[in-house]
Amino acid sequence: MAVCIAVIAKENYPLYIRSTPMESELKFHYMVHTSLDVVDEKISTMGKALVDQRELYLGLLYPTEDYKMFRKLHNSYTDVMCNPFYNPGDRIQSRPRPWEDLPGKAVGSTCDCRGPSTAW
Amino acid sequence: MLKSCVVSKPVIEKWRSSPPPPNPVLLSSVFGGRSKGITRHVHLALQVWRSAQGWLEAIASSGAGDQNLFTSIYPTLSQQLPREPMEWRRSYGRAPKMIHLESNFVQFKEELLPKEGNKALLTFPFLHIYWTECCDTEVYKATVKDDLTKWQNVLKAHSSVDWLIVVVENDAKKKNKTNILPRTSIVDKIRNDFCNKQSDRCVVLSDPLKDSSRTQESWNAFLTKLRTLLLMSFTKNLGKFEDDMRTLREKRTEPGWSFCEYFMVQEELAFVFEMLQQFEDALVQYDELDALFSQYVVNFGAGDGANWLTFFCQPVKSWNGLVLRKPIDMEKRELIQRQEATLLDLRSYLFSRQCTLLLFLQRPWEVAQRALELLHSCVQELKLLEVSVPPGALDCWVFLSCLEVLQRIEGCCDRAQIDSNIAHTVGLWSYATEKLKALGYLCGLVSEKGPNSEDLNRTVDLLAGLGAERPETANTAQSPYKKLREALSSVEAFEKHYLDLSHATIEMYTSIGRIRSAKFVGKDLAEFYMRKRSPQKAETYLQGALKNYLAEGWALPVTHTRKQLAECQKHLGQLENYLQTSSLLASDCHLTQEERAHFCQEILSFANQQVDSPGHRVLLPMHSFAQLRDLHFDPSNAVVHAGGILSVEITLYSQMPIPVHMDQIAVNVHFNIEKNSYRKTAEWLTKHKTSNGIINFPAETSLFPASQNSSPGLELSEMFERSPSDNSLNTTGIICRNVHMLLRRQEGSSSLETPSGVALEDGAHVLRCHSVTLQPGTNKVAFRTQAKEPGTYTLRQLCASVGPVWFVLPHIYPIVQYDVYSQEPQLHVEPLADSLLAGIPQKVKFTVTTGHYTVKNGDSLQLSNVEAMLILCQAENRATIFSNSREESSVASLRIQSSDKVTSIGLPAVPAYHVIEFELEVLSLPSASAAMGERGIQGTPELHRKQKDRQKSGHCMVTTDHKVSIDCPWSIYSTVIALTFSVPFRTTHSLLSSGTRKYVQVCVQNLSELDFQLSDSSLTDTGDTADLQLTPLNPQCEQHIHSKQSVFFVWELQWTQEPPPALCCQFSVGFCPASEEQLSISLKPYTYEFQLENFFTLYTVNAEISPPVGAEYCRTGSLCSLEVSITRLTDLLEVDKDEALTESDEYFSTKLMYEVVDNSSNWAVCGKSCGVVSMPVAARATHRVHMEVMPLFAGYLPLPDVRLFKYLPHHSAHSSQLDADSWIENDSLSVDKHPDDQLDCSSVRSRGSVASAASSEHKGLPMPRLQALPAGQVFNSSTGMQVLVIPSQDDHVLEVSVT
């Protein structure tokens, strides 16, 4: 079960972050934030190598013994961005359906998705 | 049975360089002779290099034959065999590889042959070799053949088909035995006897111990054969083994299946690959085992438990960490083999093998990465399997393992390599730090008091689980085991180790740019320091982390870290910092209401405590406390006159959770006098500054900057500064409205937490509001101030204070200003309409701007009267009074008193900075000078002034200026005001004649926009000439004259006696505006004076055209005669006395020149068109001239004009020589017969006149002059007559001219 979903803007602030056990919300925030180190690294190397840019999965971002963090939400994120009422860069306030569905889909992982990034 | 192990190469150091060519370290087992000593059996085995364990031997081949022989050959054989690589083709499409074969040779023994179902691959004899030196047929037949047969039978019995017979030839033997058959024969026999279809199974090795080329060749051939066969057998057997293994794996769902058994089988394969140096393949075997096990655990978690797995669920009793220093951890392997391994044992063993192989593959960083994953997954698997683990045991295990992996990697890499691969290892460091911290907390090593007995018990238990230190590391000073033991031994040791680890981790994270991770570890460290009561050390880390979270806008971490920081600052006694952090926390919506209230209360209680020590101020930034939302000025344009009241209302959004009572709220105002700017004048300010007075402030976003990198765009706008006098452009430029945003110090975010950025300005001008309670949310605070000095006031800072605590908004942006102006009293007088019309009452607006002057009762404007302008006093005059901002108005009555010289306008009492407006009616009298404006065509001098305008439009009105001097009560100087009035009419006159009767026509043209009623027109002779009568021919009634229209008046001039040469007339007409009702005053009539000269007829001219003789009508193209008769009507008169008059014997005559001109080109004048006649000055004297003209068109044609001029001789006084030629010349010119000679004639005339006027002196030519007779003196009786011209008959084209 996905326990936390975060969408991060390219300036590294959270556009959307939601976690299921509300008690450990803070912990997830810290965790997601720390994992940005790896995201940064991966994106910068990806930009250099210009490998298949459509490969959006960045792999394991932050190893913890409790959870695994992945990034596989890009399609859902595109849906949100396609919303004409969404102002890019704003925090995603509403809870559009795709996000609600996701915790069921993404198995056994904390998910982390980088927001509008120039690398894409 | 002897098995000697001979592997002792220091393996670990080797992998770094590329794997060396296989060093034939052979495991050879030499058996005692079984047969009669003639033959010796030698086993050929694959050598397992690097693996030191005897059990790893793999018998590749078993041989038979002579022990001595083999012993002598063996060194060469073992050295040469692995020298050449062989291509190894593999099944299942796996890529072929080049491998070096090394073998172990073992003496043949039937027991060593594998039995059916044998899974051992390592001890498998791959090739059986029979060695023989036999060169004697007899011997062969006697012993060797039997021996071979037996050997073959044994092999067949074990269905082994991989064998080789080697016949070693020796020259020395040949020499000894002469009866030797040719050497081929033995080989042939053997081939014949044993290798019926496989002749290659028997090879010859010639003189193996000699050093000859033949020997070399023979060796090469033999070795190639040996390698081929060996590899063939190996491939075959390996494939079979793999198949068997897969079959076994497929049975894993069967109840009795054991993972450990399978593990051993697959590991066998891994060993083989490892022997062949196919480490990649070997690693794959372990990875498969890893994955298989992991999947089982996951399935177990999902409820699908395998029986064998329950064994792994036994409670964890030992947590001594990974062992990576031995290639193979035999203890653990045996545990697995015995199916006694725990989960940690299995994982540890598996990983140690993977680690070994990865290190062979020179991938130490993968070891680090896998290690981290392994440690995490082990922790999770233990959870999944619900294995009971004593608290802290896993932490110990993970800690030891992390360090073990790190030390293992460090052991085989140099410093530079490690430094450049920190990214791979730092995770382990971090994990170890985390675990050590957990252990420290668990064992009471972090608390202030030190561990209690419970903690100590726990520590003892944990240390017990570590067991004894392993012998490999016993001598290592920094072994993980020793470290952990030491760290858990005392508070001080723990602190040292934990700090070492933390600092190392932070340093590593920082060095590879993982700042966030570094900060996160730093935060842990800060927590530790806080526990250790070292807040000063914790602060740095907390600040660092907070800065990072703030910069990236992570609200929750910011809040949490701030809370920690607040505690830290409180401990440190950093008062201002603590208060600021508290204010930030009090406004933090991520905290609960109680928490926020607590922090708010912290501030307030501090503020209340410090009341008794005045002078001390704590400045805090306001943004966390309250936000300025908007600001409203009253008056709304933010412009107020000196002494006026200005109120400012601000909306403050308090972010505090509870109502806060503020001692005062103040706005610091910066005062600036901009004297030279036109923009700051009262006129400009009151007119131009028209904002609605509400200034909105953007919501404070500095707490979570949306984007750090993107700076705001430039807000540029153009700026024009105009000169106040003529509104011309003085300066222009571009100003940037958000400079303060762009040029902000970059480290601004760092100072967010420190109040140093706030400085309180001490301005003289402060707007204050005392004792305000700010409720949570929106509050309105109003300031009132009386404007003092004129200038611009900029609102700079907003401060709110509670006791010594001052919340300061250091900059108010957008810039808020209000202007105070001071104004001199002023009087403006301007016409209400576009222009004032003379003659009728006109309204003039008076505007008194009082400025700083207060109009008292009795103050009045004194207007000095102008003669030609009346100020009409109405019964009741009203003045309207406005405030300067035009917001309020009132009406007051006006007292106007007029005396002869002065009109006094009493002003109502009005306070300063008001405007009094009233209207007065003025009447510009058509005064003498003005009314006499037009005299004939020339006009008055005044007219000259305006001539330019007149020429331009032709309809411009004549104007008169009246200057009025006004004395104002506020000034000792008079104000002079010029009012310009326009005369609405233009009048022209003309003299009309009919024979000797004369008429005067006056044309009045209305130039204004108004309609007028004209009445009482009259024309009088001002000269009062006797016997002169002016008979009006006009209607008596009033006449209406519309705008831009004209009205004509005519009088007949009659006289009885001889009239005077000149007549002065005055035309006068009453007028009043047509639209208006009864005017209060009677208006003066409009007058126009002019002079008439030469107004009576001297000559009549009559022209007559008659058809040619015999013709009834004139025809086009045929000459007709033109008779012109000029008749003198009077005798000599005064007017005739001029130069043209010649007198001889009382007989007067005058020279006249006539000229026939047809401007309409109807006629062609044939012959002379002009001539000079001498006219007797006597009544009835007539002169006739005959001319011929030809009509050019048919129809009723008007007669050509006949003009008459006075012909003046040249001035004798001016010209000394009288040149008669000029006359002749002139005459001859005028005799030109061309039809267009009129033009010439006129040109001559003009030339003559010009010459007479200007150039006679220059040329010296005495030219006669022509003078037109005044219109009144000549009457042309044939004007308007027409003559019928019929077209000539032969004209094909009929041209009809209709006039």
Side-chain angles (χ1 to χ4, degrees):
Chain A
M1 235 272 296
V3 287
C4 176
I5 292 171
V7 184
I8 312 297
K10 68 172 187 289
E11 291 88 4
N12 285 334
Y13 63 90
L15 287 172
Y16 177 91
I17 184 158
R18 206 161 106 73
S19 45
T20 37
M22 286 304 282
E23 310 82 59
S24 41
E25 197 185 5
L26 176 68
K27 182 174 145 196
F28 285 123
H29 276 251
Y30 276 125
M31 213 183 270
V32 171
H33 179 256
T34 311
S35 75
L36 291 176
D37 273 338
V38 183
V39 175
D40 271 353
E41 255 169 46
K42 294 205 175 183
I43 279 179
S44 64
T45 50
M46 200 165 79
K48 272 180 215 151
L50 279 176
V51 280
D52 188 4
Q53 301 248 316
R54 282 174 299 172
E55 176 51 44
L56 304 171
Y57 177 59
L58 288 179
L60 190 66
L61 295 178
Y62 179 77
T64 70
E65 54 183 50
D66 304 326
Y67 307 101
K68 286 194 166 114
M69 303 192 75
F70 294 108
R71 201 190 75 136
K72 59 198 306 185
L73 289 171
H74 191 257
N75 289 342
S76 305
Y77 179 70
T78 337
D79 289 349
V80 178
M81 290 306 285
C82 288
N83 179 356
F85 301 107
Y86 176 68
N87 195 3
D90 284 358
R91 272 148 227 249
I92 299 169
Q93 294 289 352
S94 59
R95 298 174 181 179
R97 290 305 307 168
W99 300 101
E100 295 297 287
D101 295 344
L102 256 154
K105 276 194 234 164
V107 178
S109 59
T110 300
C111 296
D112 178 19
C113 174
R114 183 64 81 94
S117 161
T118 43
W120 306 338
Chain B
M1 186 94 21
L2 178 77
K3 282 189 177 182
S4 62
C5 338
V6 201
V7 172
S8 60
K9 283 280 165 187
V11 178
I12 307 313
E13 281 143 50
K14 266 195 194 167
W15 67 268
R16 240 186 287 156
S17 55
S18 63
N23 206 340
V25 182
L26 287 180
L27 301 172
S28 60
S29 309
V30 184
F31 286 40
R34 177 190 70 99
S35 57
K36 296 163 187 168
I38 304 169
T39 56
R40 285 287 183 267
H41 300 261
V42 178
H43 281 235
L44 178 72
L46 274 171
Q47 187 259 340
V48 182
W49 77 293
R50 290 195 190 87
S51 309
Q53 313 307 318
W55 51 268
L56 267 181
E57 286 168 23
I59 297 166
S61 165
S62 61
D66 193 335
Q67 175 64 42
N68 293 334
L69 171 65
F70 182 73
T71 316
S72 64
I73 289 168
Y74 171 72
T76 321
L77 179 64
S78 62
Q79 196 183 348
Q80 294 294 327
L81 183 64
R83 188 154 286 177
E84 297 283 322
M86 282 298 284
E87 193 189 55
W88 180 30
R89 295 171 189 282
R90 306 172 65 191
S91 53
Y92 298 112
R94 284 174 283 189
K97 287 188 173 166
M98 299 302 285
I99 58 169
H100 293 266
L101 289 167
E102 275 185 77
S103 298
N104 197 6
F105 294 87
V106 179
Q107 192 164 16
F108 184 75
K109 220 175 167 186
E110 198 178 336
E111 303 93 274
L112 288 175
L113 286 172
K115 293 164 187 70
E116 198 59 42
N118 183 18
K119 297 285 189 303
L121 197 58
L122 285 167
T123 51
F124 192 84
F126 288 106
L127 188 64
H128 308 273
I129 308 172
Y130 190 93
W131 302 86
T132 179
E133 225 180 354
C134 174
C135 51
D136 193 332
T137 321
E138 294 309 312
V139 177
Y140 172 72
K141 279 182 181 164
T143 57
V144 176
K145 193 179 175 184
D146 283 354
D147 205 21
L148 270 169
T149 310
K150 255 189 253 169
W151 181 69
Q152 285 273 314
N153 287 339
V154 173
L155 290 181
K156 269 180 200 151
H158 288 86
S159 56
S160 175
V161 290
D162 303 300
W163 51 268
L164 179 69
I165 302 166
V166 185
V167 180
V168 179
E169 284 184 351
N170 205 320
D171 284 350
K173 283 198 172 176
K174 262 193 233 164
K175 280 176 199 163
N176 293 345
K177 305 193 174 181
T178 50
N179 59 338
I180 294 170
L181 285 169
R183 63 174 180 260
T184 49
S185 60
I186 293 290
V187 175
D188 288 342
K189 273 182 194 300
I190 294 172
R191 283 190 177 142
N192 200 33
D193 292 343
F194 299 103
C195 326
N196 43 352
K197 280 165 200 162
Q198 300 163 287
S199 57
D200 59 340
R201 292 281 175 175
C202 179
V203 290
V204 179
L205 183 63
S206 307
D207 292 332
L209 300 175
K210 282 199 170 176
D211 188 16
S212 69
S213 61
R214 189 162 155 270
T215 307
Q216 197 62 42
E217 253 176 63
S218 168
W219 263 115
N220 284 347
F222 166 68
L223 286 170
T224 310
K225 174 65 72 184
L226 183 60
R227 286 187 196 115
T228 312
L229 289 176
L230 198 51
L231 195 59
M232 204 193 287
S233 166
F234 175 70
T235 310
K236 192 174 69 192
N237 287 299
L238 189 69
K240 192 167 174 294
F241 184 85
E242 283 185 308
D243 288 344
D244 289 347
M245 189 186 80
R246 277 187 206 97
T247 313
L248 181 59
R249 188 164 64 194
E250 290 315 307
K251 288 180 186 161
R252 66 183 179 274
T253 47
E254 290 174 12
W257 192 83
S258 160
F259 177 78
C260 291
E261 274 173 32
Y262 176 75
F263 184 95
M264 287 299 158
V265 172
Q266 187 154 7
E267 188 178 35
E268 186 93 1
L269 189 59
F271 282 147
V272 171
F273 282 124
E274 188 178 349
M275 280 193 306
L276 291 171
Q277 298 178 51
Q278 301 307 311
F279 304 117
E280 199 73 58
D281 292 290
L283 185 60
V284 167
Q285 307 313 316
Y286 286 110
D287 288 350
E288 282 181 9
L289 285 168
D290 191 345
L292 186 65
F293 187 77
S294 299
Q295 194 55 52
Y296 265 104
V297 177
V298 170
N299 290 354
F300 183 87
D304 181 16
N307 285 336
W308 56 266
L309 202 56
T310 50
F311 183 76
F312 288 102
C313 298
Q314 55 191 314
V316 174
K317 294 195 181 82
S318 162
W319 39 87
N320 50 5
L322 292 175
V323 181
L324 301 177
R325 288 167 215 240
K326 289 186 282 188
I328 293 166
D329 185 345
M330 287 309 293
E331 287 172 43
K332 295 232 162 61
R333 187 171 195 275
E334 275 159 28
L335 284 176
I336 296 166
Q337 214 163 12
R338 292 205 305 268
Q339 309 203 358
E340 287 169 10
T342 62
L343 184 123
L344 288 184
D345 290 335
L346 177 73
R347 282 293 184 191
S348 299
Y349 177 73
L350 198 50
F351 184 75
S352 74
R353 293 298 300 138
Q354 287 168 324
C355 170
T356 305
L357 290 170
L358 284 169
L359 290 179
F360 284 153
L361 287 165
Q362 301 185 57
R363 280 146 59 179
W365 316 123
E366 199 177 329
V367 174
Q369 187 201 324
R370 280 172 173 238
L372 201 54
E373 283 172 35
L374 166 90
L375 299 177
H376 288 145
S377 63
C378 278
V379 173
Q380 288 178 28
E381 280 174 357
L382 286 173
K383 266 186 211 162
L384 264 177
L385 297 179
E386 293 161 358
V387 176
S388 89
V389 185
L394 264 184
D395 297 328
C396 286
W397 185 77
V398 169
F399 176 79
L400 290 172
S401 300
C402 282
L403 292 193
E404 175 74 10
V405 173
L406 288 170
Q407 288 189 357
R408 183 75 181 83
I409 291 170
E410 275 166 16
C412 54
C413 294
D414 58 37
R415 197 71 235 165
Q417 277 177 306
I418 293 170
D419 285 347
S420 54
N421 283 286
I422 286 172
H424 298 100
T425 54
V426 70
L428 288 169
W429 283 103
S430 171
Y431 201 19
T433 314
E434 196 182 306
K435 287 299 160 192
L436 186 59
K437 184 186 86 173
L439 282 172
Y441 281 78
L442 187 72
C443 301
L445 295 165
V446 184
S447 64
E448 238 179 320
K449 295 170 207 153
N452 55 24
S453 61
E454 196 183 331
D455 294 332
L456 288 173
N457 280 338
R458 202 177 288 131
T459 312
V460 169
D461 287 349
L462 280 178
L463 290 176
L466 295 181
E469 178 155 27
R470 292 198 195 87
E472 311 93 81
T473 60
N475 297 322
T476 321
Q478 290 286 308
S479 70
Y481 179 86
K482 288 200 186 77
K483 274 195 176 183
L484 183 59
R485 265 194 172 285
E486 196 187 321
L488 296 183
S489 65
S490 73
V491 173
E492 293 74 26
F494 171 79
E495 181 171 350
K496 177 188 167 293
H497 281 282
Y498 177 62
L499 292 184
D500 282 353
L501 262 182
S502 292
H503 288 145
T505 308
I506 290 173
E507 197 178 309
M508 277 188 255
Y509 270 136
T510 312
S511 74
I512 55 166
R514 294 195 186 174
I515 303 302
R516 300 179 189 87
S517 309
K519 302 290 182 207
F520 194 56
V521 179
K523 270 202 67 215
D524 281 346
L525 199 51
E527 271 168 42
F528 172 77
Y529 278 130
M530 288 303 289
R531 291 283 285 266
K532 300 293 281 184
R533 295 278 175 227
S534 304
Q536 70 282 359
K537 286 182 184 156
E539 196 207 354
T540 326
Y541 292 103
L542 290 174
Q543 289 278 18
L546 180 58
K547 186 176 155 189
N548 185 244
Y549 299 137
L550 274 174
E552 295 187 333
W554 285 73
L556 248 52
V558 163
T559 308
H560 178 242
T561 311
R562 255 194 200 134
K563 251 165 76 182
Q564 292 176 313
L565 188 62
E567 196 194 335
C568 175
Q569 287 165 338
K570 192 175 185 181
H571 283 301
L572 281 174
Q574 294 177 344
L575 198 66
E576 296 192 13
N577 292 1
Y578 176 63
L579 289 177
Q580 188 187 348
T581 310
S582 297
S583 79
L584 286 166
L585 286 168
S587 64
D588 197 325
C589 59
H590 292 102
L591 290 178
T592 61
Q593 189 69 17
E594 292 75 45
E595 283 174 302
R596 291 177 60 185
H598 162 74
F599 284 109
C600 186
Q601 206 55 55
E602 286 283 296
I603 302 170
L604 295 178
S605 54
F606 168 79
N608 294 331
Q609 279 167 19
Q610 305 288 319
V611 170
D612 31 318
S613 62
H616 177 242
R617 277 181 186 177
V618 178
L619 299 188
L620 299 176
M622 182 174 277
H623 67 85
S624 57
F625 174 73
Q627 286 184 358
L628 181 58
R629 286 286 164 87
D630 57 52
L631 187 147
H632 172 76
F633 278 113
D634 183 31
S636 63
N637 61 356
V639 172
V640 66
H641 57 76
I645 297 291
L646 177 87
S647 67
V648 184
E649 189 183 66
I650 62 170
T651 306
L652 265 183
Y653 185 87
S654 168
Q655 315 220 59
M656 292 296 110
I658 52 173
V660 181
H661 181 80
M662 308 306 297
D663 294 346
Q664 78 164 15
I665 295 178
V667 181
N668 279 333
V669 177
H670 175 81
F671 171 59
N672 184 23
I673 313 169
E674 288 177 69
K675 275 184 176 158
N676 296 326
S677 171
Y678 172 63
R679 281 173 176 273
K680 298 302 168 194
T681 59
E683 287 78 14
W684 197 91
L685 286 172
T686 43
K687 279 175 198 160
H688 289 82
K689 201 164 171 181
T690 52
S691 66
N692 59 1
I694 298 175
I695 294 136
N696 286 304
F697 297 93
E700 188 72 54
T701 52
S702 70
L703 199 59
F704 296 118
S707 135
Q708 273 291 304
N709 302 328
S710 67
S711 55
L714 289 172
E715 277 177 35
L716 295 177
S717 59
E718 55 189 4
M719 183 269 294
F720 300 106
E721 194 80 29
R722 287 177 187 281
S723 151
S725 52
D726 54 352
N727 208 31
S728 65
L729 198 59
N730 266 353
T731 329
T732 183
I734 292 175
I735 51 174
C736 178
R737 297 203 176 278
N738 56 347
V739 182
H740 71 291
M741 307 274 286
L742 296 161
L743 300 183
R744 187 165 54 186
R745 285 190 306 154
Q746 282 307 301
E747 70 274 24
S749 55
S750 69
S751 64
L752 274 176
E753 298 301 308
T754 53
S756 59
V758 184
L760 194 60
E761 280 183 14
D762 239 350
H765 301 268
V766 177
L767 306 180
R768 277 203 182 83
C769 203
H770 290 281
S771 200
V772 181
T773 300
L774 291 181
Q775 298 292 335
T778 310
N779 295 273
K780 289 204 182 275
V781 183
F783 302 92
R784 264 171 82 84
T785 183
Q786 184 168 28
K788 284 172 188 140
E789 220 174 318
T792 301
Y793 293 80
T794 309
L795 274 55
R796 283 280 181 85
Q797 291 190 331
L798 180 66
C799 319
S801 64
V802 189
V805 181
W806 287 65
F807 294 98
V808 180
L809 180 64
H811 303 288
I812 296 177
Y813 183 83
I815 290 167
V816 181
Q817 292 181 325
Y818 67 88
D819 291 288
V820 175
Y821 67 90
S822 151
Q823 200 178 15
E824 292 300 315
Q826 278 175 333
L827 171 68
H828 277 283
V829 178
E830 56 190 1
L832 211 58
D834 286 347
S835 67
L836 296 168
L837 290 176
I840 55 170
Q842 295 285 279
K843 281 192 171 162
V844 175
K845 187 167 125 186
F846 282 68
T847 309
V848 175
T849 311
T850 61
H852 57 69
Y853 182 80
T854 308
V855 182
K856 299 173 284 291
N857 247 327
D859 278 348
S860 63
L861 299 174
Q862 307 283 340
L863 279 68
S864 62
N865 286 353
V866 181
E867 209 180 326
M869 195 183 82
L870 290 179
I871 292 163
L872 306 176
C873 303
Q874 282 161 343
E876 197 178 25
N877 280 296
R878 290 196 167 274
T880 316
I881 299 156
F882 300 99
S883 67
N884 247 14
S885 53
R886 298 253 158 196
E887 274 165 356
E888 45 197 280
S889 67
S890 62
V891 177
S893 65
L894 214 58
R895 293 165 288 102
I896 300 178
Q897 290 169 328
S898 276
S899 67
D900 283 352
K901 305 239 164 162
V902 172
T903 303
S904 164
I905 304 166
L907 295 173
V910 165
Y913 295 102
H914 276 69
V915 177
I916 308 169
E917 274 187 2
F918 56 89
E919 289 167 12
L920 280 187
E921 275 195 326
V922 294
L923 176 64
S924 170
L925 294 176
S927 68
S929 64
M932 292 236 289
E934 286 183 79
R935 191 186 292 180
I937 305 289
Q938 301 300 314
T940 58
E942 202 174 13
L943 202 65
H944 271 301
R945 217 176 55 211
K946 298 282 172 188
Q947 215 153 24
K948 217 168 117 189
D949 294 336
R950 172 172 278 195
Q951 280 167 359
K952 207 159 62 185
S953 69
H955 290 287
C956 216
M957 291 180 272
V958 179
T959 59
T960 32
D961 289 346
H962 295 291
K963 288 195 172 149
V964 185
S965 159
I966 305 173
D967 287 334
C968 305
W970 54 79
S971 171
I972 54 163
Y973 303 105
S974 301
T975 309
V976 176
I977 281 155
L979 292 173
T980 302
F981 291 87
S982 304
V983 179
F985 302 115
R986 186 170 65 176
T987 317
T988 51
H989 70 274
S990 55
L991 181 71
L992 307 172
S993 307
S994 173
T996 55
R997 298 175 74 174
K998 294 292 166 182
Y999 303 90
V1000 178
Q1001 179 188 267
V1002 175
C1003 170
V1004 177
Q1005 196 182 354
N1006 180 7
L1007 297 174
S1008 73
E1009 301 291 329
L1010 287 175
D1011 298 344
F1012 290 99
Q1013 290 284 1
L1014 298 180
S1015 59
D1016 304 326
S1017 60
S1018 73
L1019 188 69
T1020 51
D1021 173 21
T1022 52
D1024 208 13
T1025 315
D1027 293 331
L1028 195 71
Q1029 213 180 337
L1030 285 163
T1031 314
L1033 304 175
N1034 306 313
Q1036 287 301 309
C1037 62
E1038 290 192 344
Q1039 272 183 295
H1040 202 77
I1041 180 165
H1042 288 279
S1043 169
K1044 311 286 179 201
Q1045 282 185 346
S1046 302
V1047 167
F1048 293 86
F1049 298 94
V1050 178
W1051 282 267
E1052 189 177 358
L1053 201 56
Q1054 286 171 318
W1055 61 90
T1056 49
Q1057 292 178 355
E1058 183 178 303
L1063 186 65
C1064 286
C1065 300
Q1066 190 191 43
F1067 169 74
S1068 123
V1069 64
F1071 71 101
C1072 63
S1075 57
E1076 275 181 47
E1077 64 277 18
Q1078 199 64 38
L1079 283 168
S1080 54
I1081 54 150
S1082 60
L1083 298 175
K1084 292 275 175 68
Y1086 172 72
T1087 59
Y1088 171 66
E1089 287 181 9
F1090 57 94
Q1091 201 169 8
L1092 287 175
E1093 285 172 321
N1094 301 327
F1095 58 81
F1096 49 81
T1097 312
L1098 296 181
Y1099 306 97
T1100 56
V1101 175
N1102 187 38
E1104 201 175 313
I1105 290 180
S1106 50
V1109 183
E1112 197 179 349
Y1113 298 107
C1114 298
R1115 277 179 191 277
T1116 55
S1118 61
L1119 288 171
C1120 306
S1121 66
L1122 170 67
E1123 293 279 345
V1124 177
S1125 66
I1126 303 164
T1127 309
R1128 172 86 192 185
L1129 295 179
T1130 60
D1131 290 326
L1132 186 65
L1133 286 173
E1134 199 62 26
V1135 293
D1136 288 320
K1137 288 174 180 167
D1138 57 8
E1139 285 171 273
L1141 191 72
T1142 51
E1143 185 186 353
S1144 55
D1145 307 327
E1146 303 267 315
Y1147 174 77
F1148 293 93
S1149 70
T1150 182
K1151 279 215 167 80
L1152 294 175
M1153 190 184 118
Y1154 68 87
E1155 189 186 22
V1156 177
V1157 178
D1158 181 29
N1159 282 332
S1160 51
S1161 302
N1162 290 328
W1163 303 92
V1165 181
C1166 303
K1168 272 174 72 173
S1169 65
C1170 56
V1172 178
V1173 295
S1174 183
M1175 196 73 194
V1177 181
R1180 314 308 310 166
T1182 303
H1183 193 96
R1184 286 176 199 279
V1185 180
H1186 179 81
M1187 272 184 276
E1188 287 200 315
V1189 293
M1190 187 169 71
L1192 300 174
F1193 300 103
Y1196 283 102
L1197 300 184
L1199 294 181
D1201 285 345
V1202 178
R1203 297 176 189 169
L1204 213 54
F1205 300 94
K1206 225 173 222 179
Y1207 195 86
L1208 302 176
H1210 68 272
H1211 209 289
S1212 53
H1214 286 286
S1215 57
S1216 54
Q1217 294 173 336
L1218 193 143
D1219 194 345
D1221 286 349
S1222 64
W1223 286 85
I1224 295 158
E1225 187 192 29
N1226 200 5
D1227 221 346
S1228 71
L1229 263 174
S1230 48
V1231 182
D1232 206 317
K1233 278 191 171 73
H1234 282 290
D1236 52 350
D1237 66 349
Q1238 315 97 308
L1239 294 173
D1240 283 331
C1241 216
S1242 66
S1243 73
V1244 165
R1245 189 177 74 240
S1246 65
R1247 221 191 296 161
S1249 62
V1250 165
S1252 68
S1255 60
S1256 59
E1257 289 145 314
H1258 300 286
K1259 291 187 175 179
L1261 286 177
M1263 290 292 283
R1265 290 175 294 147
L1266 290 177
Q1267 194 182 59
L1269 282 162
Q1273 289 182 352
V1274 180
F1275 176 71
N1276 196 336
S1277 60
S1278 55
T1279 304
M1281 280 175 63
Q1282 290 180 333
V1283 64
L1284 178 66
V1285 177
I1286 60 169
S1288 63
Q1289 283 172 332
D1290 55 342
D1291 274 352
H1292 296 295
V1293 180
L1294 182 69
E1295 286 184 73
V1296 181
S1297 167
V1298 181
T1299 56

